[in-house]
Amino acid sequence: MEKLELIKDYAKTLKLNYLNTNASNLIEDADIKDLSYQDLLLNILKNEIILKETKSQERLLKNAGFPVIKQIEEFDFNFQKSITSKQINRLIELEWIDRMFNLIFLGPPGVGKTHLAIAMGLKAVEAGYKVSFVSMDNLMHVLKTQDISRKSKGKVNSILSSSLVIIDELGYLPITKEEANMFFQLISALHEQASIIVTSNKGFEDWAELLGDDALTTAVLDRLVHKCELFNMTGKSYRLEHRQSIL
């Protein structure tokens, strides 16, 4: 076996994917630039780290389950004035995740709650945190079917092992008493173990009707708001105000 092929074989065995793929080019580049052995090794190791970090980011992004990609930079603070860029810039430092604080975005449809939740989740992924995004409707489905569906069980396990869990659209669809109990159990399991972002079109005063039990609602809110930043977002729907037409 030629030395180059042997290098590639060893690199594959050691899972040095950058070296395995680029061994020939690395050697040619070192010859052209007359690199020292140290510089060559540094170049290899640096690019191995970059490749591993890139692949890790891709896995975290895929596993997060964002329905769309929303960036903080795309958010229109001139349209949505109930939250400031200063507040958001403080949040994207992500200290609140390390301290296991929660974020709750309340307000009518179209004011930017989900945009901010996804954008925060994306920043967390970029920083290397494990994130799980799930709509309330889908959350109820996976919780109810986790004992009979491997896919649902995998999603629940992923949620429970995340540093940040985003629960979107709480209150848009009615839930049963059984589902409310499962939701409480999940919030209890995540309490002080992960940060949670919740978006909801219902104010706290309406959660008792939504969950169907005053005591259970108090217990859920007690866990969510114990360490929490609350944002009451108001105003018109951005989507309606910026409606596009083909005619």
Side-chain angles (χ1 to χ4, degrees):
M1 184 180 293
E2 295 182 4
K3 289 183 179 179
L4 181 59
E5 292 302 315
L6 192 58
I7 289 171
K8 290 181 179 180
D9 189 53
Y10 286 162
K12 185 176 181 180
T13 300
L14 293 170
K15 297 182 179 180
L16 299 174
N17 296 324
Y18 184 84
L19 178 58
N20 179 36
T21 305
N22 298 282
S24 179
N25 292 334
L26 286 165
I27 293 170
E28 290 178 10
D29 187 60
D31 285 338
I32 293 171
K33 296 180 180 178
D34 196 23
L35 296 179
S36 68
Y37 296 132
Q38 287 183 336
D39 287 337
L40 175 59
L41 283 172
L42 281 172
N43 190 28
I44 292 170
L45 294 173
K46 180 186 71 175
N47 283 288
E48 287 292 347
I49 290 173
I50 291 172
L51 181 61
K52 289 182 185 299
E53 289 178 344
T54 300
K55 288 185 176 296
S56 176
Q57 288 268 311
E58 290 173 351
R59 285 193 300 271
L60 287 172
L61 182 59
K62 180 181 179 181
N63 293 334
F66 298 126
V68 292
I69 298 300
K70 295 287 187 181
Q71 304 281 357
I72 288 292
E73 295 74 16
E74 300 169 342
F75 192 80
D76 191 345
F77 290 99
N78 292 321
F79 184 84
Q80 177 50 260
K81 296 182 181 297
S82 56
I83 191 167
T84 67
S85 57
K86 182 178 180 180
Q87 289 174 308
I88 295 302
N89 288 334
R90 176 71 184 277
L91 290 176
I92 62 177
E93 295 174 0
L94 304 178
E95 178 189 359
W96 55 278
I97 296 181
D98 294 327
R99 297 172 61 189
M100 295 182 187
F101 266 71
N102 303 321
L103 305 181
I104 299 179
F105 297 103
L106 303 178
V111 294
K113 304 183 301 297
T114 299
H115 185 140
L116 288 177
I118 292 175
M120 285 295 164
L122 190 59
K123 289 294 185 183
V125 165
E126 291 171 355
Y129 293 97
K130 183 178 179 182
V131 178
S132 287
F133 178 100
V134 62
S135 68
M136 186 64 176
D137 184 44
N138 189 38
L139 177 61
M140 292 300 99
H141 172 73
V142 298
L143 289 176
K144 287 190 295 184
T145 60
Q146 61 178 312
D147 292 332
I148 59 174
S149 167
R150 291 179 61 184
K151 182 178 180 181
S152 294
K153 184 63 176 178
K155 181 65 175 178
V156 172
N157 288 339
S158 180
I159 289 171
L160 291 173
S161 62
S162 293
S163 297
L164 172 62
V165 178
I166 302 171
I167 303 172
D168 191 39
E169 298 184 336
L170 173 66
Y172 282 81
L173 294 173
I175 62 175
T176 66
K177 185 174 182 179
E178 177 193 6
E179 290 170 337
N181 283 323
M182 289 189 294
F183 180 64
F184 165 70
Q185 290 169 15
L186 178 70
I187 296 301
S188 295
L190 294 173
H191 181 56
E192 299 283 23
Q193 302 300 315
S195 290
I196 305 171
I197 295 178
V198 175
T199 75
S200 177
N201 65 329
K202 303 287 187 183
F204 288 159
E205 67 276 7
D206 298 321
W207 282 31
E209 181 181 355
L210 172 68
L211 298 177
D213 187 294
D214 289 345
L216 185 139
T217 301
T218 299
V220 168
L221 287 174
D222 180 67
R223 286 157 176 76
L224 284 176
V225 304
H226 173 221
K227 295 163 63 176
C228 173
E229 289 294 335
L230 173 64
F231 299 93
N232 282 298
M233 300 174 67
T234 60
K236 299 178 180 179
S237 167
Y238 185 89
R239 289 186 291 270
L240 290 178
E241 288 292 306
H242 296 80
R243 180 180 62 88
Q244 298 180 15
S245 174
I246 61 173
L247 300 177

